[in-house]
Amino acid sequence: MSNRAILFDLDGTIADSPLLIQKTFEIVLKRNHINASNDTIKSTIGKPLKESFLLLLNEEDHRKADDLCNQFRKTFSRELKKVNKGLIFEGFFRLATLLKNNNIQSAIVTSKIKKSAYEILNISQTESFFTGVFCHDMVKDGKPSPDLVNLALRDLDLDKSQVIVVGDSTSDIEMANKAKVESIGVTWGVSMPLDFSRVNCTNIAESWEDLTIQLGNFFMHTTGGWNGHYTKD
């Protein structure tokens, strides 16, 4: 198997799920009489769930945060069942074909726990696209720690110089920086170009076509191998 790979974030990067996540936060917070603005809720998306609730609670009440996490996961699972495979951005499927043709692995590195990540992959019928799924509850420290990337490197026997992280959150870029691998920030999720600039992200993609071009340039530069191009039709 190739030691070249793309490590994709899940929510907001390949899955159009931030609105669903925000809706779930709103349901859980309202049920528990916790006030938080939409902007505050949105700012937590992409972070580990318990960390998000501790921020929203504005206190170190770990027992309460754990309970809210359990409520969130049950509610999210229920809301997710109302969605079909359209949850995954169409551009991902076009890119995945190119990656397969170029013998480049795809893997997931996510702040979701394993059960929640596989719920999305199963309902969207996309699990088979990935050679590995690396989740928050599989490592000691989640994003922006480099633990998820380092686990993927070890488990998939990857060459660090031929691996790139793709994510929609600044925590994805910080994780990549700490792991000393390249990264691309995408703007169709939770972070914008200004946000990425604050974490020294110089590679920013504003469309799937743009992302594909940048990935092609990366693999051409590092391995000399990339065939094909992104097609919209």
Side-chain angles (χ1 to χ4, degrees), residues 8 95 166 184 186 188 205 207-215:
F8 289 99
L95 175 57
V166 175
I184 299 175
V186 299
W188 51 80
S207 68
W208 282 93
E209 184 174 14
D210 187 16
L211 174 62
T212 303
I213 291 169
Q214 292 193 46
L215 290 171

Side-chain angles (χ1 to χ4, degrees), residues 24 28 31 49 67-81 115-116 119:
T24 305
V28 173
R31 182 191 301 148
L49 189 56
D67 177 58
L68 291 170
C69 285
N70 289 332
Q71 291 185 47
F72 180 97
R73 290 177 181 127
K74 289 176 183 177
T75 305
F76 184 83
S77 181
R78 185 180 67 244
E79 295 297 320
L80 185 62
K81 288 172 182 166
K115 179 179 181 293
S116 299
E119 277 186 329

Side-chain angles (χ1 to χ4, degrees), residues 91-103:
F92 169 75
F93 295 104
R94 298 187 180 106
L95 175 57
T97 299
L98 272 178
L99 299 180
K100 182 178 180 180
N101 292 342
N102 283 278
N103 194 29

Side-chain angles (χ1 to χ4, degrees), residues 150-163:
N150 290 333
L151 176 60
L153 293 173
R154 291 193 304 271
D155 196 64
L156 300 178
D157 193 26
L158 301 174
D159 182 339
K160 183 182 287 192
S161 68
Q162 297 178 33
V163 171

Side-chain angles (χ1 to χ4, degrees), residues 97-140:
T97 299
L98 272 178
L99 299 180
K100 182 178 180 180
N101 292 342
N102 283 278
N103 194 29
I104 295 170
Q105 295 189 65
S106 298
I108 294 289
V109 286
T110 176
S111 290
K112 275 187 161 35
I113 63 171
K114 188 174 181 179
K115 179 179 181 293
S116 299
Y118 275 97
E119 277 186 329
I120 288 181
L121 297 178
N122 290 335
I123 202 167
S124 62
Q125 301 175 29
T126 51
E127 181 183 348
S128 62
F129 286 93
F130 305 101
T131 53
V133 180
F134 303 96
C135 307
H136 181 73
D137 54 347
M138 298 167 67
V139 293
K140 180 179 181 292

Side-chain angles (χ1 to χ4, degrees), residues 195-209:
D195 302 314
F196 287 126
S197 69
R198 293 179 179 133
V199 292
N200 299 316
C201 178
T202 56
N203 304 313
I204 299 173
E206 298 190 0
S207 68
W208 282 93
E209 184 174 14

